[in-house]
Amino acid sequence: MTPGPPGDPTMAGRLDRLHADLLRHRDYDLGFPGATDLPDMSPLAPFERLLLNNVGHPFAPGGAYRMHTKHLEHEVVGFLADLFDAPLDNRHGYVTTGSTESTHWALWQARLMLPGAAVYCSSAAHYSVAKAAELLRLRLRVVPADERGEMRYDLLHAAVVRDGRRQRGTGAIVVASIGTTMTEAVDDVARIGAVLDAAGVAEAMRWIHADAALAGVPLALDEPVGRPAFTFADGAHSVAVSGHKFLATPFPCGVVVALADRHTGRGDITYTAAPDSTITGSRSGHAPLWLWYLLRHWGPAGLRARADAARTLARHTEQQLRGIGWPAWRAQPRAFTVVFPRPPQPLLDRWPLATDERGNAHAVLMPGVPRERVDRFVADLREALATASGVGLVSDALAS
Ligand SMILES: *Cc1c(COP(=O)(O)O)cnc(C)c1O
C-alpha cells in the first residue's frame, strides 16, 4: 500500500493514514485465512521493549543467551503435541516463522533419514511444498487431486509403486494437506499409510508430514469419531500449523511438531552453547510468548467455540450465496472455506478474493469476520450479477 500523497506529512499523520487504510481494507477481507478476533493483549505490553531471541535448539537447557522464552515455547509445542496425539516420550518441535519453514524443516529432517526418497504431494498442496523440495533438491511427485481437492490415493499408490520399481528401498516422503489452500479439502493420513503399506514401504522407510497450517487446531479439537485422520495416532511423523491463521497472532509464525526419535540435530555450536536444530539461527522470542498467551487465554473450550462460530458463519455464507443463485460449496462439513465460481471482475476489484485456474474463488470465514461483512458481500454480488447478466458475464463465469 502507498500511504501518499500525504495530507499530513508528519510521522503521526502518516501512521494515522496507514492505520485508516488498513482498517478500510480489512472491511473487505473475506478471501484470506487469518483470524482477527484478537483478545486484549495488554498483559504482554511490558515485553514489547525487550529483545527476545530463542536462538538455537528450542529445548536445550542452558545455552549462553538468557533473554529468551524457550520454556513457554516448550509449553506451546507440548500443547499442540498433546492435541495431535504425539507420544509423551517421543516429541520434538519448535516455533517457526510459518508453515513454509515448517514444511522446509520437515522435508529436511525426512531427507536426513531417507536420502534418495522422493516427495509426494497432491496437486492441491500449498506452493511451499514445491519450493522446499526445490531448495532441498528432492524429487517431487505431484499426485492429482480429485474435484474437491483431496489427494487421489489410487494415483499415489501408482506413483509410489512406479518409483519403487526404479529405485528399490529408498522409501517415501508424503506431504498430506490438512486443509488445502483453495478448498480446505483434507487428505487422509491413515489412507496414505495404507497406500504405503500396500506399496511395500515399511514404517521405518516413510515420513508423512501433515501440513495442517489452517485447519489443524480446529480439526483436532473435534470429537475423534468421524473427524479426518491426520494426527500422530493416524500415522503422521510431523504435523505443522500456522500461528497467524486460526490462532490469530497479528504477525506470521508457526509451530512444527515431530517424533523426537526421527529428529537429527547438528551438534553443539560453541558460540551459542546449544545444539543447532532449526532452519533459522536467531528466532523470535515474542512469537512463542504470543502463542502461549493465546492458547492459555482461550483454552481448548474457547478455541472450540471460535471454530464452531466460524463454521456456522461459513454455512450461512454458503446458503446466502446459493440463495442468490451462485452455486457455493464446501469441500468438507468442518471447512471455514466456501468455494464458488469466480465473480465478475468489478466485484473482485472491491473484494479481493483468491481465484484458481479452474475458475473458482473462495471466501474463508475465519473467527473475527462479522456476519455483516458476509451479508454486504452477498448483496454486492447480487447487484453485480444483476448488472452483468445483460452482457453475458454470469453465464461465462458459470460455464468456466
Ligand atoms: C497458509 C498455508 C501454508 C503456508 O503457511 P505460511 O505460514 O504462510 O508459511 C502452507 N500450507 C497450507 C496448507 C497453508 O494453508
Side-chain angles (χ1 to χ4, degrees):
M1 107 162 20
T2 38
D8 174 358
T10 64
M11 190 157 79
R14 292 193 59 183
L15 289 175
D16 282 349
R17 191 185 157 104
L18 173 63
H19 192 247
D21 281 348
L22 291 169
L23 290 187
R24 205 172 54 247
H25 290 317
R26 192 173 69 177
D27 234 19
Y28 288 87
D29 179 17
L30 278 178
F32 299 93
T36 51
D37 58 335
L38 208 65
D40 172 27
M41 300 301 287
S42 56
L44 298 190
F47 299 92
E48 253 168 33
R49 297 169 69 177
L50 297 180
L51 168 63
L52 301 174
N53 190 341
N54 287 13
V55 60
H57 193 287
F59 300 171
Y65 188 69
R66 301 272 171 88
M67 295 294 285
H68 65 75
T69 59
K70 288 188 183 179
H71 45 302
L72 300 187
E73 181 175 20
H74 200 161
E75 284 185 42
V76 167
V77 169
F79 179 94
L80 292 172
D82 285 344
L83 197 58
F84 299 142
D85 309 315
L88 268 175
D89 56 352
N90 188 18
R91 42 174 67 174
H92 176 78
Y94 75 100
V95 173
T96 64
T97 55
S99 292
T100 297
E101 181 184 338
S102 300
T103 299
H104 193 183
W105 183 85
L107 295 189
W108 172 41
Q109 295 293 310
R111 192 186 72 175
L112 288 170
M113 193 183 101
L114 303 169
V119 179
Y120 305 83
C121 72
S122 91
S123 53
H126 191 266
Y127 59 86
S128 55
V129 180
K131 178 161 56 183
E134 188 180 314
L135 285 167
L136 292 163
R137 293 175 181 260
L138 287 162
R139 274 174 302 136
L140 181 67
R141 301 278 188 254
V142 177
V143 178
D146 68 14
E147 278 289 291
R148 288 173 309 116
E150 183 172 352
M151 180 183 278
R152 287 273 311 269
Y153 306 103
D154 54 336
L155 299 179
L156 173 67
H157 181 262
V160 174
V161 168
R162 199 175 332 111
D163 283 341
R165 257 191 238 116
R166 229 177 289 155
Q167 267 179 301
R168 290 207 67 80
T170 48
I173 303 166
V174 184
V175 178
S177 302
I178 309 307
T180 61
T181 315
M182 197 57 203
T183 69
E184 212 181 318
V186 177
D187 294 340
D188 186 320
V189 167
R191 283 189 73 175
I192 289 170
V195 164
L196 297 179
D197 288 343
V201 180
E203 170 62 25
M205 296 304 293
R206 64 176 78 160
W207 188 306
I208 304 175
H209 176 62
D211 175 9
L214 165 66
V217 171
L219 286 179
L221 284 163
D222 285 338
E223 292 303 317
V225 181
R227 81 171 183 218
F230 73 97
T231 68
F232 291 90
D234 301 310
H237 303 95
S238 51
V239 182
V241 300
S242 291
H244 52 289
K245 290 187 174 174
F246 183 71
L247 294 177
T249 59
F251 48 81
C253 63
V255 186
V256 63
V257 185
L259 294 178
D261 62 6
R262 292 184 164 224
H263 164 246
T264 313
R266 290 185 61 248
D268 269 21
I269 304 300
T270 313
Y271 184 71
T272 57
D276 186 20
S277 60
T278 54
I279 297 251
T280 63
S282 287
R283 298 188 301 111
S284 171
H286 289 276
L289 177 64
W290 279 67
L291 287 168
W292 178 85
Y293 181 90
L294 290 167
L295 291 172
R296 287 287 295 246
H297 172 82
W298 280 315
L303 293 167
R304 207 176 287 128
R306 292 171 66 241
D308 288 346
R311 288 165 178 161
T312 300
L313 190 58
R315 275 193 294 279
H316 170 77
T317 307
E318 184 183 8
Q319 284 159 5
Q320 293 295 304
L321 286 170
R322 289 185 174 178
I324 62 163
W326 208 241
W329 53 279
R330 285 181 300 146
Q332 37 97 7
R334 293 169 173 82
F336 304 128
T337 304
V338 180
V339 189
F340 44 87
R342 185 191 158 97
Q345 191 56 43
L347 193 89
L348 294 181
D349 293 340
R350 185 177 314 167
W351 296 86
L353 300 176
T355 56
D356 71 5
E357 63 291 342
R358 292 188 187 193
N360 285 322
H362 73 190
V364 193
L365 287 306
M366 296 305 290
V369 173
R371 180 174 291 233
E372 168 277 325
R373 193 181 300 167
V374 170
D375 294 343
R376 199 156 34 86
F377 170 71
V378 175
D380 275 4
L381 177 59
R382 185 172 47 197
E383 202 180 303
L385 297 180
T387 324
S389 56
V391 286
L393 285 175
V394 174
S395 48
D396 285 357
L398 288 178
S400 66

